[in-house]
Amino acid sequence: MNTPEFSSLPLKPALLENIESLGYTHLTPIQAESLPHILEGKDVIAQAKTGSGKTAAFGIGLLSRLDLSSFKVQAMVICPTRELADQVCKEIRQLARFTQNIKVLALCGGTPFAPQRSSLEHGVHVVVGTPGRLQEHLQKASLRLDHLKVLVLDEADRMLDMGFADIISDVISYAPTHRQTLLFSATYAEPIRALSQKFQFKPVSVSVETSHHDNPIEQRFHQVDKAKRLNALGYLLAYHRPESTVVFCNTKRECQDVADTLSNCGFSVQALHGDLEQKDRDQVLVRFANKSCSILVATDVAARGLDIKDMQAVINYELPWDPEVYIHRIGRTGRAGAKGLALSLVSEAELNRVKAIEDYMAGSVKWDEIAPFKLSSEHRFEPPMVTLWIDGGRKDKMRPGDILGALTGANGIAGSEVGKIDIFDKHAYVAVKRGSADKALTCLRAGKIKGRNFNVRKSQWH
């Protein structure tokens, strides 16, 4: 299918000429779906990943709304990290080359405040920034949004993951009610829908990924002897290597036994069942959601309300009696148009449960072989992230931006190496990519957060 050309859009000739000089001729799918609505001034919620052309979509949209004779902030883009904000700034400047007069300014933490304030005083059309620094400028009145026409939330899911929800709400409270709000996110999870309801007016939903396949969950069944079930589970985990998988057991006892065995054999695993205290449950879910623990062994009751994005696989260590419970279990993978994998181990005694599932789904299930595999303590399956525990939290007025700033300051790590940030009353957790964990730990121990020293250590729970 041929996507439309930029020349088919109602753009100013100078802007169109510049877009074509950059080598853009045809719209990417996300641009084709979103730009007509954006140019009509409608609010848009778009599901789009990095590399989909989303920056050009909202960049062209906001540039077409600017009154260049007025040096007031008319468009604001909120990004999760300094790197992304710099990248967005660069692309908007490229798209805006058609006129010498346009001023685009990056407002990010980790860089001096005073020069930013000075640039704002000289007049700016577009600001692109991270939540904490934008909030600081608004609170100090160096940034005013009285003339704002377009507000963009870029990678909104990542900003929520990093704990910026309250700061974003505060930043938006400074903006006029009559504005266009564009929300871009890689997922459509419930927190994103809630964000949209709070800040958008009758938004048009745009998604280009979910239409490619009717059922994104691939289901496979494996018949095994009851005595070989644990080895079969080890084989599936070692073969597929999912970064994030839930293994369902039918009892608390089995749940703990399976988790202990996998842990002893080098897998990154935690158990989630009804006997856990709330504090322990919080810690387990923090590590699983931020990908510093790859496997969660859970009972159905304990997994209620579990909504983890990017869950790559669900494994039924044992099939549930009720086919509806099976459907509910596997529905936790394959979210937001991503491919999901549902694997089930079945003993001979459970074949009648498979028949019930086939009747419920009105179709046959797919059977697969399992190669011989022996669990042993020689394996080592490291998760992609490591969690750092910080001995300070909400009661210390700690915010996600403080932790991010401390990690990415001088001699720190890149913002792209930082994952989910979770702040509790008396402590906080931050996930960092495994290769940067030691540097991040040194950085936080040597430096200060909010001008104070806090105890920091790697979190390990089994």
Side-chain angles (χ1 to χ4, degrees):
M1 185 184 77
N2 281 338
T3 51
E5 296 187 5
F6 279 97
S7 54
S8 66
L9 295 170
L11 297 171
K12 294 171 187 166
L15 176 55
L16 183 60
E17 197 177 311
N18 188 56
I19 289 166
E20 287 175 348
S21 77
L22 291 170
Y24 298 158
T25 50
H26 289 82
L27 285 81
T28 67
I30 196 69
Q31 291 164 356
E33 291 285 330
S34 64
L35 257 170
H37 301 298
I38 292 172
L39 293 171
E40 282 173 13
K42 293 176 182 169
D43 283 6
V44 172
I45 175 168
Q47 187 185 327
K49 291 186 167 61
T50 305
S52 59
K54 64 182 170 69
T55 309
F58 64 71
I60 290 166
L62 65 85
L63 287 171
S64 64
R65 298 283 305 277
L66 298 182
D67 170 7
L68 296 178
S69 64
S70 165
F71 279 85
K72 308 281 186 191
V73 174
Q74 297 165 53
M76 177 169 72
V77 185
I78 311 178
C79 300
T81 64
R82 190 168 68 196
E83 287 91 351
L84 184 66
D86 288 341
Q87 202 178 309
V88 167
C89 243
K90 196 172 165 189
E91 193 157 346
I92 292 175
R93 283 194 189 109
Q94 265 199 318
L95 290 165
R97 278 189 325 194
F98 62 88
T99 169
Q100 297 304 306
N101 236 357
I102 189 154
K103 293 281 186 292
V104 184
L105 179 66
L107 296 177
C108 304
T111 48
F113 189 87
Q116 294 177 355
R117 185 174 53 211
S118 169
S119 296
L120 286 164
E121 282 167 6
H122 286 94
V124 170
H125 297 107
V126 182
V127 293
V128 182
T130 48
R133 182 52 62 97
L134 288 170
Q135 183 187 43
E136 203 180 339
H137 277 290
L138 288 162
Q139 287 172 346
K140 292 180 176 172
S142 45
L143 171 63
R144 295 184 178 277
L145 302 179
D146 315 359
H147 297 84
L148 192 79
K149 298 177 185 175
V150 186
L151 169 70
V152 182
L153 296 169
D154 192 15
E155 296 199 3
D157 51 338
R158 179 107 197 271
M159 290 197 281
L160 295 187
D161 272 355
M162 293 171 87
F164 286 129
D166 293 345
I167 299 176
I168 289 168
S169 295
D170 186 41
V171 167
I172 296 175
S173 71
Y174 288 85
T177 321
H178 294 290
R179 59 165 196 267
Q180 181 180 25
T181 307
L182 309 175
L183 192 155
F184 288 79
S185 169
T187 68
Y188 264 171
E190 183 49 45
I192 292 297
R193 288 196 285 273
L195 195 69
S196 170
Q197 281 169 356
K198 192 172 174 185
F199 297 119
Q200 293 189 296
F201 176 71
K202 294 184 178 173
V204 178
S205 288
V206 170
S207 175
V208 292
E209 275 134 341
T210 44
S211 55
H212 299 320
H213 33 254
D214 296 326
N215 186 1
I217 303 173
E218 186 181 345
Q219 301 173 57
R220 296 184 196 170
F221 287 71
H222 307 269
Q223 191 169 343
V224 292
D225 292 344
K226 201 168 182 183
K228 293 179 181 168
R229 205 190 287 260
L230 261 171
N231 282 320
L233 174 61
Y235 168 79
L236 292 178
L237 291 167
Y239 179 80
H240 292 288
R241 296 284 181 103
E243 282 184 4
S244 152
T245 186
V246 174
V247 176
F248 279 103
C249 294
N250 291 350
T251 65
K252 284 187 283 196
R253 172 77 191 274
E254 193 161 47
C255 182
Q256 194 61 57
D257 289 348
V258 169
D260 289 344
T261 305
L262 289 175
S263 179
N264 291 336
C265 293
F267 287 96
S268 160
V269 58
Q270 294 177 118
L272 186 71
H273 51 65
D275 287 350
L276 287 182
E277 288 181 25
Q278 188 59 44
K279 175 173 71 84
D280 295 327
R281 182 184 165 87
D282 287 343
Q283 291 179 343
V284 166
L285 291 178
V286 160
R287 281 193 71 209
F288 185 64
N290 72 21
K291 297 215 170 130
S292 64
C293 166
S294 302
I295 304 159
L296 198 60
V297 186
T299 57
D300 291 300
V301 173
R304 271 189 199 144
L306 186 67
D307 184 19
I308 307 289
K309 63 173 194 169
D310 301 335
M311 198 185 294
Q312 294 169 346
V314 165
I315 300 177
N316 292 295
Y317 183 71
E318 209 179 353
L319 282 177
W321 288 99
D322 185 342
E324 271 193 52
V325 174
Y326 169 81
I327 297 298
H328 189 64
R329 280 182 182 182
I330 71 167
R332 288 185 164 85
T333 183
R335 295 270 175 99
K339 280 295 262 183
L341 190 59
L343 308 168
S344 299
L345 297 172
V346 187
S347 68
E348 198 169 348
E350 294 170 80
L351 290 171
N352 57 339
R353 300 184 202 179
V354 179
K355 176 77 174 74
I357 288 166
E358 287 182 321
D359 291 346
Y360 188 85
M361 296 195 308
S364 302
V365 303
K366 182 182 171 190
W367 291 91
D368 235 343
E369 294 289 315
I370 279 194
F373 183 84
K374 186 98 178 77
L375 275 170
S376 91
S377 55
E378 290 162 24
H379 300 301
R380 202 79 222 142
F381 301 98
E382 300 281 17
M385 308 296 278
V386 170
T387 296
L388 303 181
W389 172 88
I390 301 166
D391 184 24
R394 282 194 203 101
K395 291 196 168 164
D396 302 284
K397 306 263 190 309
M398 194 177 287
R399 304 178 313 168
D402 300 324
I403 298 171
L404 188 66
L407 281 167
T408 58
N411 303 317
I413 63 172
S416 54
E417 297 290 292
V418 183
K420 213 164 178 293
I421 297 172
D422 294 276
I423 297 185
F424 293 85
D425 280 348
K426 295 182 178 172
H427 53 268
Y429 302 102
V430 55
V432 291
K433 288 191 180 164
R434 180 163 292 279
S436 297
D438 290 336
K439 189 174 180 183
L441 192 62
T442 307
C443 189
L444 290 182
R445 281 177 174 167
K448 287 180 163 48
I449 305 172
K450 287 195 86 72
R452 286 178 56 192
N453 294 106
F454 289 93
N455 285 332
V456 186
R457 59 175 164 79
K458 285 185 189 175
S459 289
Q460 298 293 343
W461 303 295
H462 289 292

